[in-house]
Amino acid sequence: MEHDAEMASPISSDMVTAADDWAARDDFEDSPAESHAHPPAGAGAAAAVTEDEAREEAPPAPPSEDANGIESTLQSLELQPSDAPHNRVQIEAEERNRKRHLNVVFIGHVDAGKSTAGGQILFLSGQVDDRTIQKYEKEAKDKSRESWYMAYIMDTNEEERAKGKTVEVGRAHFETETTRFTILDAPGHKSYVPNMISGASQADIGVLVISARKGEFETGYERGGQTREHVLLAKTLGVSKLIVVINKMDDPTVGWSKERYDEIEGKMTPFLKSSGYNVKKDVQFLPISGLLGSNMKTRLDKSICSWWNGPCLFELMDCIEVPLRDPKGPVRLPIMDKYKDMGTVVMGKIESGTISEGDNLVIMPNKANVKVISVYCDEDKVRSASPGENVRVKLSGIEEEDIAAGFVLSNIGNPVGAVSEFNAQLQILELLDNAIFTAGYKAVLHIHSVVEECEIVELIEEIDLKKKKESDPKKRKPKKKPLFVKNGAVVVCRIQVSNLICIENFSDSPQLGRFTLRTEGKTIAVGKVVAVPPTGISTFKA
Ligand code: GTP
Ligand code: MG
């Protein structure tokens, strides 16, 4: 909380109206992983059991980091005829494949209660037992952070627990009737926005956590804070649906007040609209107490809150609809991380297409042909994995040191392009010290798992979103190229990077075509790729 006062409002709502332009798409917008998150081996869930318990209850599948584990699983699977899955690992894997999988990121201002709500979900879904909770209660008390014990389920490292602030994106898994969820618990503090971007870029849906406690909603939203920046980033990064939980409803300053709830919903709604969310279709509000677990797994008791007749959080998450992704599309797996394990293992989220054992693929931009030895979803070995899955893929044909985060595993027939320049439509949010945005401006480009220095080399056209575009191209007046633009402008410009990066036009692949520009730790613009050099060529002037 001590950080809140110093926060300046990063984005005003009129600045973000232009986000509608690309955010208004109804199709599924989904985005790949970036390089800062914990490895997807169930860090949160792993933290939810003590060492003793871990010994008592062996995990169902061998973790893939264990080379022998992979090999023995591989051998046992090979001994089975392909249509007779007697192997426990395989049966489990196939059972889980029947359920859909969604990545859900928890976002919102610092201390809104994201980790507490995430921890409570794991507790309510039976993944953390009372003994562990008691242990966390004691640890939190020893650190004079009594109320943080639920957050300790998600906040697993010492620094996070001591300061009561999430730093890295926590990751955990839980299931409802219809869906397997991966929870990504993003940090709220402004210093860790790059980590939040990493979490949001892996997510399909978001839970925006807002504190209803007196003064806290205001600090997070009205007087600046991360609520606005997170919403805007989430939309840009492909979080297509939002559940807005109005949290801390149990707090003495709130007391499950309908007026407070309505006030927050009333203020958030126009802002969410201006950020590009269709509030009727894409957004659902509900009151909860993450700390007490109220309105989470079961509906609210009327004795606690008489006015809420709507669903609880689990119900909403269970039935939230995201458009289906095309498993037959071209293979696109932006690589988030890699390691050596009797071969080369790459990690990331499949953005398009299906990856199966035995596939011959290519890693771009270095055009290395590889063969898929095995595919893992979470801890389980699977025969194939479809879009949206966070996977680890073991490859032959390439050394681990020849791969970097941001490379993309693609199919051979239709590989992703590798370019060193592209045209983009940018929305300028807030430049540092109100600087002007002109050719020569340098920033850090975040696009799927790529983080690269970039330079704006040319401003091509400033777009006036209020004016209707002339539909007949012959009648359109040629635009004068602007020399500079200011905060709030929408501008088409050419951007260059010194290393080849794998990106695609936003209209072809929103996941590989949307990005943020940051300087000195601040998001200064969000954008979409509108033109890339012709196939096989890295610059426009070849
Ligand atoms: P960052 O990771 O730093 O962004 O914070 P966070 O959003 O993860 O918040 P966290 O879960 O760490 O909770 C912050 C404080 O709010 C803790 O003291 C929690 O106990 C308290 N808190 C969270 N949820 C509730 C709630 O539903 N009711 C009340 N009364 N307090 C809550
Ligand atoms: Mg947290």
Side-chain angles (χ1 to χ4, degrees), residues 55 63 108 121 194-195 200 271 298 314 364 366 430 485 536:
R55 273 192 291 274
I121 286 178
N195 292 358
F271 171 69
T298 51
F314 277 41
M364 296 297 285
N366 51 349
E430 189 172 305
V485 292

Side-chain angles (χ1 to χ4, degrees), residues 77 89-90 93-94 96-97 355-357 374-377 380-385 391-392:
L77 284 177
V89 175
Q90 193 175 346
E94 283 176 10
R96 64 207 289 287
N97 273 344
I355 297 181
S356 308
E357 265 178 30
S374 47
V375 185
Y376 291 82
C377 281
D380 301 324
K381 184 176 189 292
V382 292
R383 289 224 180 98
S384 66
V391 292
R392 279 171 289 159

